[in-house]
Amino acid sequence: MRRKVIAFGDYYHTFLHSLTDKEQLKVKYVLSLLETYDRLPVKFIKYIKDGLYELRIAYSGNIFRLFFIFDGDKIVVLFNGFQKKTRKTPKREIEKALKIKAAYYGRE
């Protein structure tokens, strides 16, 4: 299966450009897994709520999260990405992603 990955707004690109070259490669690798495979282990993907998922990326002791949704056969990589520094995903990041999701559906 091959899904189309779409970035909504500048959120993904801004996040990606804040990373080192090697961190960017790791993010793109994990995204390619999401693009290609029907199911991924919880190591890489976690359901948050209201159709919102987080892509989990670990590289060289750093942990990154990138929020996305499924829209039909597309993966919309939208929303904010961030470096995780706490045990739980910060609520403000989840709320931000949900607002961006609402904006995404508001434009269609």
Short mmCIF file of all heavy atoms in Angstrom, two decimals, residues 4 19 27-28 31 36 48-49 71 76 78 84 87 100 102 104:
data_model
loop_
_atom_site.label_atom_id
_atom_site.label_comp_id
_atom_site.label_asym_id
_atom_site.label_seq_id
_atom_site.Cartn_x
_atom_site.Cartn_y
_atom_site.Cartn_z
N LYS A 4 -0.38 8.77 0.20
CA LYS A 4 0.19 10.07 -0.16
C LYS A 4 0.32 10.91 1.11
O LYS A 4 -0.62 11.07 1.86
CB LYS A 4 -0.73 10.78 -1.16
CG LYS A 4 -0.17 12.07 -1.66
CD LYS A 4 -1.03 12.65 -2.74
CE LYS A 4 -0.40 13.92 -3.24
NZ LYS A 4 -1.18 14.53 -4.30
N LEU A 19 15.73 20.84 12.51
CA LEU A 19 16.50 19.64 12.87
C LEU A 19 17.82 19.60 12.11
O LEU A 19 17.98 20.23 11.08
CB LEU A 19 15.68 18.39 12.54
CG LEU A 19 14.29 18.29 13.15
CD1 LEU A 19 13.60 17.03 12.65
CD2 LEU A 19 14.36 18.31 14.66
N VAL A 27 13.49 11.40 10.39
CA VAL A 27 12.07 11.77 10.28
C VAL A 27 11.52 11.30 8.94
O VAL A 27 10.45 10.68 8.87
CB VAL A 27 11.87 13.29 10.46
CG1 VAL A 27 10.46 13.71 10.06
CG2 VAL A 27 12.16 13.71 11.89
N LYS A 28 12.25 11.56 7.88
CA LYS A 28 11.79 11.16 6.54
C LYS A 28 11.72 9.64 6.40
O LYS A 28 10.82 9.12 5.74
CB LYS A 28 12.71 11.76 5.47
CG LYS A 28 12.54 13.26 5.35
CD LYS A 28 13.52 13.85 4.36
CE LYS A 28 13.38 15.36 4.28
NZ LYS A 28 14.33 15.94 3.32
N LEU A 31 8.58 8.52 8.23
CA LEU A 31 7.44 8.90 7.39
C LEU A 31 7.28 7.95 6.21
O LEU A 31 6.15 7.61 5.83
CB LEU A 31 7.63 10.32 6.85
CG LEU A 31 6.99 11.43 7.64
CD1 LEU A 31 7.33 12.78 7.03
CD2 LEU A 31 5.50 11.26 7.77
N THR A 36 4.25 3.57 3.44
CA THR A 36 4.33 2.30 2.74
C THR A 36 3.59 1.15 3.43
O THR A 36 2.95 0.35 2.77
CB THR A 36 5.82 1.90 2.59
OG1 THR A 36 6.51 3.01 2.03
CG2 THR A 36 5.97 0.71 1.69
N ILE A 48 -3.78 9.58 19.58
CA ILE A 48 -3.92 10.55 20.68
C ILE A 48 -5.39 10.72 21.03
O ILE A 48 -5.83 10.30 22.08
CB ILE A 48 -3.29 11.92 20.30
CG1 ILE A 48 -1.80 11.75 20.00
CG2 ILE A 48 -3.49 12.93 21.42
CD1 ILE A 48 -0.95 11.29 21.15
N LYS A 49 -6.17 11.35 20.14
CA LYS A 49 -7.62 11.48 20.32
C LYS A 49 -8.21 12.22 19.13
O LYS A 49 -7.50 12.91 18.40
CB LYS A 49 -7.97 12.20 21.62
CG LYS A 49 -7.62 13.68 21.67
CD LYS A 49 -8.06 14.27 23.01
CE LYS A 49 -7.98 15.79 22.98
NZ LYS A 49 -8.44 16.37 24.22
N ASP A 71 -6.75 11.17 6.13
CA ASP A 71 -7.87 11.78 5.43
C ASP A 71 -8.11 10.94 4.18
O ASP A 71 -7.47 11.14 3.16
CB ASP A 71 -7.54 13.23 5.07
CG ASP A 71 -8.72 13.94 4.41
OD1 ASP A 71 -9.82 13.37 4.36
OD2 ASP A 71 -8.51 15.08 3.93
N VAL A 76 -2.12 13.22 6.22
CA VAL A 76 -1.87 14.65 6.25
C VAL A 76 -0.89 14.92 7.38
O VAL A 76 -1.22 14.78 8.55
CB VAL A 76 -3.18 15.43 6.48
CG1 VAL A 76 -2.90 16.91 6.48
CG2 VAL A 76 -4.19 15.07 5.40
N LEU A 78 0.53 17.35 9.24
CA LEU A 78 0.17 18.70 9.38
C LEU A 78 0.82 19.19 10.57
O LEU A 78 1.83 19.26 10.89
CB LEU A 78 -1.31 18.88 9.56
CG LEU A 78 -2.19 17.74 9.85
CD1 LEU A 78 -2.69 17.62 11.23
CD2 LEU A 78 -3.40 17.95 8.96
N LYS A 84 10.43 16.13 22.16
CA LYS A 84 9.80 15.74 23.42
C LYS A 84 10.84 15.72 24.52
O LYS A 84 11.87 15.08 24.41
CB LYS A 84 9.16 14.37 23.27
CG LYS A 84 8.31 13.98 24.44
CD LYS A 84 7.56 12.71 24.16
CE LYS A 84 6.80 12.32 25.41
NZ LYS A 84 6.38 10.96 25.38
N ARG A 87 7.89 13.19 29.96
CA ARG A 87 7.37 11.83 29.84
C ARG A 87 6.08 11.78 29.03
O ARG A 87 5.88 10.91 28.21
CB ARG A 87 7.16 11.27 31.24
CG ARG A 87 7.07 9.79 31.29
CD ARG A 87 7.37 9.32 32.72
NE ARG A 87 7.19 7.93 32.87
CZ ARG A 87 8.06 7.00 32.50
NH1 ARG A 87 9.18 7.35 31.94
NH2 ARG A 87 7.81 5.73 32.70
N ILE A 100 -5.11 23.07 14.50
CA ILE A 100 -4.64 23.01 13.11
C ILE A 100 -5.51 22.02 12.32
O ILE A 100 -5.86 22.27 11.17
CB ILE A 100 -3.16 22.63 13.04
CG1 ILE A 100 -2.31 23.71 13.72
CG2 ILE A 100 -2.70 22.45 11.60
CD1 ILE A 100 -0.87 23.30 13.99
N ALA A 102 -8.66 21.39 12.88
CA ALA A 102 -9.92 22.10 12.62
C ALA A 102 -9.75 23.06 11.45
O ALA A 102 -10.64 23.17 10.60
CB ALA A 102 -10.37 22.83 13.87
N TYR A 104 -7.64 22.71 8.99
CA TYR A 104 -7.52 21.87 7.80
C TYR A 104 -8.90 21.50 7.27
O TYR A 104 -9.18 21.63 6.08
CB TYR A 104 -6.71 20.62 8.11
CG TYR A 104 -6.73 19.59 7.01
CD1 TYR A 104 -5.94 19.76 5.87
CD2 TYR A 104 -7.54 18.46 7.09
CE1 TYR A 104 -5.96 18.82 4.84
CE2 TYR A 104 -7.56 17.52 6.06
CZ TYR A 104 -6.78 17.71 4.95
OH TYR A 104 -6.80 16.78 3.94
#
